[in-house]
Amino acid sequence: MKTYIVFDLEWNQSPDGKQGTVEAFPFEIIEIGAVKLDEEFRMVDQFCRLVRPQVYLQLHRMIWEVTHRSMEELQEQGVGFPEAAAEFIQWCGPEAVFCSWGSMDLLELQRNMDYYGMENPFPKPLLYYDVQKLYGLCLKGGEKLSLDAAVEELGLPTERPFHQAIDDAYYTGQVLARMAETVGAAAFLPYQSVDYYRLPESKTEEISLVFPDYSKYVSRVFDSKEEAMADRNVSSMKCYLCGRALRKKIRWFAHSQKMYFALAVCPDHGYVRGRIRVKKADGDRVFVVKTLKVTDEEGAAQIRARKEEVKKKRAERNRAKRKRQREEAKAAAGTRKRKKGKKPGTRQGKR
C-alpha cells in the first residue's frame, strides 16, 4: 500500500563560516522527523531521531536560535547518523512516496549518506512531492510561502512549536491533508518534483516528464553550457500533448547567463513556449532543465518582447564597446604625439 512519508530535517553548519566548512559536507543533519500518511492523507505513524554530531561540534548561532537544541542534548540523546538514517529508511517502507517542504531535505539526506559511505537506497530518478511548491501552485498562483505562513493561512491548529524536525513534518503533513480536502488530491498528485542530487549520467538516463499543462526534461551532465546547448535533445522542441516535433518560430536565445527561451508552433495546439535553465553540476560542469508549455498569443508576444530586449541590450553593449575603443585609441594617439614632440637630450620647461 502506498504511503506518503512527509519528512523534515534540521542540520548544523560550521560556526566559523567557509573557513571551517568541510568540503562537500556543508550541512550535518542533527534531527530527522517524519509522519506517515495513508492514501487518504491520514496520519498513521511518526518518526523522530536526534543525531549525535561528529563533524561540527559547536552549534551555529542561527541554528541554536531556530531549533533551541543544545549540543549537550544532541550528544546525550542522539544516535550516530548511519543508525538514524537506516532506522528511518526501514520505517519508511518499500512503497514510500517522499514529501517535504521545499527541495533541500532529500538532497541533504543523500549528501550525509554519501559522507558516511552509506548505500543510496532511493530510486533513480528520485521523484517526490515538494509541498511548498504544490501549495503555491494550487492555492497561491505560484507564490511560495513559508511553512508557518501556510499553516496560519489555512487556520490549522498550532499546538506544536515550529522549527524542530518532527513538528515541521507534522505541519507539512497537515497542509497536505488540508489541500486534499479543499482542492482534491487530483489537483496536485500529477506534479511530482525531480531530485537533482544524482543526475543522469547518459542519454538513456535523461528524464522526461509530462504534466497536465507542461513537460519537463532533465539532461545529462555536460562539460560546458555551449556543449549542452549544441545537443539535439536539449535544443529540440516537441509538443507534449501530441508528440509532434515542432519547428521553431524563435530559436533559443540567451535571456541571461543561465536562462534561454524559444518559441515554436504546433499545428494542432498552437504556440509552445520553451525555457531552459542551466544549472551547476559538480565542478565546472552543467546540466539543463527544459520546460515546454502551450501558450497563447500574449505568451508568444512576451517571448518576442524578451528577444527584442536582448537584441536592444546587445546593441547598447556594442555601442558602448565601440565608444570605449575609440576613446582608448584617441588616448593612445595622444600619448604617441606627446612622445614624438619631445627632443632627445632636452628637459621640458628648460631653455
Side-chain angles (χ1 to χ4, degrees):
M1 179 184 296
K2 180 190 296 184
T3 55
Y4 296 97
I5 304 300
V6 186
F7 79 106
D8 186 81
L9 305 173
E10 299 296 340
W11 51 69
N12 188 29
Q13 63 194 81
S14 169
D16 301 320
K18 289 185 178 180
Q19 182 178 358
T21 298
V22 175
E23 187 176 0
F25 192 64
F27 304 114
E28 181 175 20
I29 293 171
I30 58 175
E31 184 183 1
I32 303 173
V35 296
K36 184 179 292 185
L37 308 182
D38 64 16
E39 292 182 325
E40 301 299 322
F41 299 97
R42 295 172 299 206
M43 191 174 79
V44 295
D45 201 0
Q46 59 182 350
F47 177 95
C48 183
R49 291 291 183 278
L50 295 181
V51 178
R52 186 185 309 117
Q54 301 294 318
V55 178
Y56 303 119
L57 301 181
Q58 180 182 345
L59 281 178
H60 190 284
R61 176 181 57 83
M62 291 181 60
I63 303 300
W64 178 83
E65 289 177 354
V66 169
T67 66
H68 301 291
R69 298 289 189 191
S70 67
M71 185 56 69
E72 292 75 16
E73 179 184 15
L74 296 173
Q75 294 289 358
E76 292 174 3
Q77 301 180 25
V79 300
F81 175 80
E83 179 183 347
E87 289 181 2
F88 174 60
I89 296 302
Q90 184 178 10
W91 174 83
C92 290
E95 297 190 49
V97 178
F98 290 93
C99 313
S100 62
W101 192 267
S103 60
M104 289 289 293
D105 292 272
L106 271 174
L107 185 152
E108 293 306 330
L109 180 60
Q110 293 174 92
R111 199 202 304 266
N112 275 245
M113 286 179 168
D114 274 357
Y115 181 82
Y116 284 99
M118 299 180 67
E119 181 180 354
N120 193 315
F122 303 114
K124 187 179 179 182
L126 174 54
L127 306 180
Y128 69 101
Y129 287 109
D130 179 344
V131 183
Q132 182 186 42
K133 175 182 173 181
L134 297 179
Y135 184 81
L137 179 70
C138 295
L139 298 173
K140 301 297 293 181
E143 179 187 1
K144 289 187 177 182
L145 296 185
S146 63
L147 177 58
D148 50 352
V151 168
E152 180 180 0
E153 189 172 79
L154 291 173
L156 296 172
T158 53
E159 68 273 10
R160 296 185 179 210
F162 285 93
H163 307 306
Q164 292 191 359
I166 183 59
D167 299 313
D168 284 0
Y170 169 80
Y171 283 123
T172 303
Q174 292 294 300
V175 171
L176 193 61
R178 180 61 63 87
M179 286 172 56
E181 291 176 6
T182 55
V183 301
F188 59 80
L189 286 181
Y191 294 97
Q192 286 185 290
S193 294
V194 182
D195 174 70
Y196 298 140
Y197 183 73
R198 291 182 298 167
L199 295 167
E201 299 174 359
S202 64
K203 280 190 176 183
T204 58
E205 288 189 356
E206 291 181 330
I207 304 165
S208 294
L209 300 173
V210 177
F211 302 101
D213 52 355
Y214 70 97
S215 66
K216 175 181 284 188
Y217 158 84
V218 182
S219 78
R220 65 192 187 280
V221 175
F222 294 92
D223 289 334
S224 68
K225 177 175 62 176
E226 292 74 22
E227 181 185 353
M229 294 305 299
D231 183 79
R232 182 174 296 179
N233 284 3
V234 172
S235 62
S236 65
M237 294 183 70
K238 183 182 292 186
C239 179
Y240 56 91
L241 296 175
C242 64
R244 184 193 299 266
L246 303 180
R247 186 174 181 179
K248 300 181 187 70
K249 297 284 286 186
I250 298 178
R251 295 181 179 274
W252 293 105
F253 64 92
H255 188 253
S256 65
Q257 290 187 349
K258 297 181 180 180
M259 190 80 74
Y260 291 76
F261 289 97
L263 184 68
V265 176
C266 174
D268 296 326
H269 300 101
Y271 288 114
V272 177
R273 160 184 167 166
R275 183 182 69 175
I276 285 176
R277 290 173 293 165
V278 180
K279 292 179 170 289
K280 185 178 179 180
D282 56 298
D284 295 328
R285 301 199 300 167
V286 302
F287 69 102
V288 308
V289 178
K290 176 175 66 178
T291 55
L292 302 177
K293 186 172 185 177
V294 170
T295 189
D296 54 14
E297 185 62 50
E298 181 180 354
Q302 291 176 355
I303 298 295
R304 296 190 190 98
R306 281 179 170 158
K307 175 73 171 177
E308 288 302 313
E309 177 189 354
V310 169
K311 186 177 178 180
K312 181 179 179 181
K313 287 182 177 179
R314 185 184 298 118
E316 290 174 352
R317 287 196 300 268
N318 288 338
R319 283 196 296 271
K321 182 179 179 180
R322 288 194 295 269
K323 181 180 178 181
R324 185 170 63 251
Q325 290 173 339
R326 288 195 300 269
E327 291 173 348
E328 289 173 353
K330 184 177 180 181
T335 301
R336 289 194 298 270
K337 186 175 181 180
R338 287 194 297 273
K339 287 183 177 179
K340 187 176 180 181
K342 289 184 179 181
K343 295 181 179 180
T346 65
R347 296 176 61 187
Q348 297 294 322
K350 292 279 187 176
R351 293 187 179 181

